[in-house]
Amino acid sequence: MIELDVLRVFCGPDGGGGNPLGVVRDGAAVPDAAGRAALAAELGFSETVFLDDEARGTVDIHTPSSRLPFAGHPLVGLAWLLRSLGRPPRTLRPPAGAVEVGFEGDLTWVRGRAAWVPARTTRRHASAAEVDALPAPPPGEGWLYAWAWQDEAAGVVRARGFPRRGDVAEDEATGAAAMLLTHELGRPLDIGQGTGSQILTRVHPDGSIAVGGRVRRRTP
């Protein structure tokens, strides 16, 4: 039997939105790469994360069609889940490198580097309404993060994420893309993505970027 936790990551302030995430806390229950790929494809979430060594924080992240070196929403979700179980991690270790974890009230933060983000395009639009009007997915190839300022002075952004790889039409909330956009703009952001999700970001003096948000368990 595989024990699976299903969460919503990067929920809005009202608890709505959030990107579904599958968490397998006992990675040994699915030890081989083929089995993990098959489970991630069966679940169909934008990502499923396997915890292989809780003491070291070693994790393995899969989309329905590939394995990722780094992704924001699986790490935020897993960190929140472990904290809810009374075991808050200080560090998680996806293949890309060591990710520092922090907690502030109901926000969970993970800190990494834009260089770890798999290749994707960020495209600025003239208005939030223009972003909202995009089809899911827009024509073209390759991962697209479409965004527009809602309040540039305050750093408030409207965004939508499109993997454009055939398995997920639109990503509800995408920590890695938020990290990349933050790196490009060089400032902290408050990103409203998808149907009601919120992603917060910070830039640190060493060039690393933190992404944070709220997490809830998904109800049936």
Side-chain angles (χ1 to χ4, degrees):
M1 292 291 293
I2 299 171
E3 184 177 354
L4 179 73
D5 294 280
V6 181
L7 312 176
R8 292 183 295 115
V9 183
F10 296 127
C11 296
D14 62 355
N19 196 3
L21 171 71
V23 180
V24 179
R25 279 183 276 150
D26 179 13
V30 192
D32 62 286
R36 293 181 177 191
L39 178 60
E42 178 184 350
L43 293 172
F45 302 139
S46 59
E47 280 108 18
T48 298
V49 61
F50 301 83
L51 179 60
D52 287 322
D53 185 333
E54 184 173 336
R56 294 196 71 251
T58 308
V59 302
D60 189 25
I61 303 169
H62 287 256
T63 75
S65 60
S66 63
R67 183 172 181 258
L68 297 178
F70 173 82
H73 112 276
L75 299 176
V76 169
L78 176 60
W80 177 91
L81 178 61
L82 292 175
R83 185 194 193 196
S84 76
L85 298 171
R87 307 192 297 271
R90 297 180 63 183
T91 305
L92 294 174
R93 301 179 190 277
V99 173
E100 181 180 326
V101 177
F103 303 96
E104 297 175 5
D106 65 346
L107 298 175
T108 300
W109 293 86
V110 299
R111 183 170 165 182
R113 297 192 173 275
W116 296 349
V117 178
R120 58 194 62 189
T121 298
T122 61
R123 182 173 299 154
R124 181 177 177 179
H125 290 260
S127 67
E130 192 172 297
V131 173
D132 289 338
L134 292 171
E141 298 182 357
W143 223 111
L144 174 66
Y145 201 54
W147 70 279
W149 289 115
Q150 283 191 305
D151 184 339
E152 185 171 358
V156 180
V157 166
R158 170 62 176 149
R160 293 172 68 191
F162 306 102
R164 295 197 296 195
R165 59 178 182 242
D167 53 12
V168 176
E170 181 171 352
D171 211 344
E172 170 63 27
T174 317
M179 179 178 290
L180 183 61
L181 182 62
T182 300
H183 172 74
E184 292 176 353
L185 297 176
R187 58 180 294 184
L189 300 175
D190 179 345
I191 301 172
Q193 187 177 331
T195 61
S197 301
Q198 182 184 38
I199 306 170
L200 303 173
T201 70
R202 294 173 177 167
V203 181
H204 289 270
D206 66 354
S208 63
I209 296 169
V211 294
R214 302 170 186 84
V215 183
R216 302 286 187 271
R217 286 188 179 272
R218 195 178 81 163
T219 55

